[in-house]
Amino acid sequence: MNLFHRAFLYVTRKITKSLTLFLILLVISTLALSGVAIKDATGTAALNVRQALGGIFTLQQNTNDPGKWVSTPVGNTGSQSYYSGEPLTVDLAERIMAGTTGISGYNATYTNYTVPLNADGKILELLESEDIAGNW
């Protein structure tokens, strides 16, 4: 007897056990397929809601180019670096808004760091206090 003939004989001899196992596997596979279908449907629904209500996107400069960083010494304590590349402009935001459908506005912010200079235009040196107690 080959393998398939023996399996058929076992299934026919133990019909209750075989049907129970078949029903359990059917329920588990149905639940798994339903879960996958629900996951895909919620992803599509979330995308539709984001498109209908308006989403958000952020523009940031690519500061990975080391040639666009300027480093200046600050006294004997170290150096200061800043990015000297072209900043993002309002014109760029308006071009993106005009070229893309579904964008109704933009909110631009700009972070600016200042470097204190003396009257001669040189960077002020940092002073260290010897007072450990923190009295000003």
Side-chain angles (χ1 to χ4, degrees):
M1 270 192 238
N2 65 7
L3 177 71
F4 295 108
H5 185 67
R6 287 180 186 268
F8 176 73
L9 290 177
Y10 178 80
V11 168
T12 55
R13 188 173 64 235
K14 306 243 181 191
I15 191 75
T16 307
K17 189 176 186 180
S18 299
L19 283 176
T20 305
L21 283 174
F22 174 74
L23 289 175
I24 289 172
L25 289 175
L26 179 69
V27 167
I28 290 173
S29 61
T30 303
L31 290 175
L33 288 174
S34 299
V36 170
I38 289 171
K39 179 185 172 201
D40 291 343
T42 55
T44 303
L47 178 64
N48 290 341
V49 167
R50 267 196 308 268
Q51 288 175 346
L53 297 178
I56 185 171
F57 70 94
T58 304
L59 296 176
Q60 291 181 329
Q61 290 177 321
N62 184 3
T63 58
N64 292 334
D65 184 7
K68 293 186 179 180
W69 282 89
V70 176
S71 183
T72 56
V74 178
N76 296 332
T77 59
S79 65
Q80 121 189 351
S81 298
Y82 62 92
Y83 184 71
S84 65
E86 183 177 334
L88 299 175
T89 62
V90 173
D91 181 49
L92 175 63
E94 289 176 354
R95 282 189 292 149
I96 291 172
M97 192 173 85
T100 307
T101 59
I103 298 178
S104 59
Y106 60 89
N107 183 7
T109 59
Y110 181 72
T111 304
N112 189 11
Y113 299 101
T114 59
V115 179
L117 302 175
N118 63 10
D120 298 332
K122 294 184 181 178
I123 297 173
L124 294 175
E125 292 186 29
L126 297 175
L127 300 177
E128 293 184 20
S129 174
E130 294 182 17
D131 185 10
I132 296 176
N135 296 329
W136 299 96

